[in-house]
């Protein structure tokens, strides 16, 4: 019975999960939505981050990833019960991760198409990466 209830809860949660695909713009930033930058520290240093975004690397420089480590950090830094956005360099990595987070975990995610490169072209405010 315990397993059935767990399955049912997971199933119902994923029915309501949603992925939106949209470009980053000032209206989105003004909404106060949390933006998670999944790029690498080297990329954060090169371009900076969208102002107010939270850097949490998913894919490393070699394309490897650690889902458990990412989810632990994600759940510590943002409220995953609320809709949040993902950004990468061009939008290809966020498309993959957004679908996974929505379909497997029931998160409501916005995949920011075009990534930081698109945002830079639209003069979205950036800030320097102050990490390690």
């Amino acid at each position: 019975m315990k397993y059935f209830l767990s399955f049912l809860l997971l199933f119902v949660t994923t029915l309501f999960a949603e992925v939106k695909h949209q470009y980053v713009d000032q209206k989105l930033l003004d909404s106060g939505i949390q933006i998670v930058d999944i790029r690498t520290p080297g990329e954060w240093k090169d371009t900076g981050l969208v102002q107010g975004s939270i850097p949490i690397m998913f894919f490393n420089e070699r394309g490897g990833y650690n889902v458990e480590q990412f989810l632990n950090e994600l759940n510590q830094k943002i409220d995953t019960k609320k809709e949040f956005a993902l950004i990468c360099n061009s939008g290809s990595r966020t498309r993959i991760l957004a679908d996974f987070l929505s379909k497997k975990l029931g998160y409501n995610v916005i995949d920011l198409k075009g990534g930081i490169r698109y945002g830079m072209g639209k003069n979205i405010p950036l800030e320097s990466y102050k990490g390690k």
Side-chain angles (χ1 to χ4, degrees):
M1 184 69 163
K2 178 180 169 184
Y3 294 110
F4 175 74
L5 291 176
S6 296
F7 173 78
L8 185 61
L9 180 61
L10 179 63
F11 179 73
V12 170
T13 301
T14 58
L15 285 178
F16 298 107
E18 178 179 24
V19 175
K20 295 179 187 173
H21 305 278
Q22 70 182 66
Y23 293 102
V24 63
D25 59 20
Q26 193 60 50
K27 182 179 177 183
L28 179 77
L29 297 179
D30 291 344
S31 76
I33 193 161
Q34 292 183 305
I35 299 174
V36 177
D37 191 320
I38 66 166
R39 298 177 300 145
T40 65
E43 290 174 299
W44 301 327
K45 289 176 188 171
D46 286 345
T47 63
L49 302 158
V50 170
Q51 196 169 41
S53 64
I54 302 161
I56 307 174
M57 181 180 70
F58 186 75
F59 293 103
N60 65 26
E61 292 83 358
R62 295 183 178 179
Y65 55 89
N66 182 325
V67 174
E68 186 177 333
Q69 181 179 339
F70 174 79
L71 291 175
N72 284 338
E73 192 170 351
L74 180 71
N75 286 300
Q76 287 175 12
K77 293 185 176 181
I78 70 161
D79 183 355
T80 56
K81 291 178 180 69
K82 296 180 183 176
E83 184 176 56
F84 61 93
L86 298 174
I87 194 165
C88 67
N89 189 55
S90 66
S92 59
R93 288 174 278 182
T94 56
R95 188 177 328 112
I96 294 166
L97 185 56
D99 285 341
F100 168 78
L101 293 174
S102 175
K103 290 176 183 170
K104 298 294 183 188
L105 301 175
Y107 294 169
N108 291 313
V109 183
I110 300 173
D111 161 30
L112 294 177
K113 299 188 315 183
I116 193 128
R117 295 292 171 189
Y118 175 85
M120 290 169 66
K122 296 295 181 181
N123 296 318
I124 295 298
L126 301 176
E127 60 189 22
S128 296
Y129 172 61
K130 299 174 181 77
K132 301 171 191 164

